[in-house]
Amino acid sequence: RMSRHAQQLRDHDINPCVVETDASRKCMDDNNYNKDMCTAYFLKYKSCRKFWHDIMMQRRRNGVKPEMPSAEERKKLLESMG
């Protein structure tokens, strides 16, 4: 059974970067944990975290709840940005 924290990390409504996390982990597995082989995946993950962190902080400042948009809301937001 997964811990609550692990479950939250797998929850697309809580963690907007599940896909990037999985891709990084798979790259590490596929490349015998040679980090140099996975730099592009790490950068994508970092960009994802920064992007959604900035959105979250903006929503917090504006008093919007929940601070992290749901997976559905995030999808619409990204589509609207092109």
Side-chain angles (χ1 to χ4, degrees):
R1 185 165 149 70
M2 272 199 283
S3 72
R4 242 175 76 72
H5 182 69
Q7 284 173 337
Q8 286 182 332
L9 291 178
R10 302 299 313 152
D11 184 337
H12 288 269
D13 281 329
I14 295 171
N15 178 3
C17 302
V18 172
V19 171
E20 291 78 4
T21 304
D22 290 347
S24 297
R25 195 167 292 136
K26 181 178 181 333
C27 180
M28 289 292 281
D29 288 344
D30 293 350
N31 290 287
N32 205 20
Y33 293 83
N34 177 349
K35 287 183 175 164
D36 296 338
M37 300 293 287
C38 302
T39 308
Y41 292 99
F42 298 150
L43 288 173
K44 273 188 193 161
Y45 172 79
K46 269 179 75 170
S47 311
C48 178
R49 294 298 307 170
K50 181 182 177 344
F51 178 80
W52 290 112
H53 178 77
D54 292 348
I55 298 269
M56 210 168 81
M57 296 314 289
Q58 186 64 52
R59 286 170 67 106
R60 186 176 292 164
R61 278 192 296 274
N62 296 340
V64 177
K65 296 276 184 200
E67 288 163 2
M68 177 57 70
S70 70
E72 190 56 38
E73 276 183 276
R74 290 195 311 268
K75 187 176 169 224
K76 287 178 183 154
L77 184 68
L78 290 173
E79 284 168 359
S80 75
M81 296 170 77

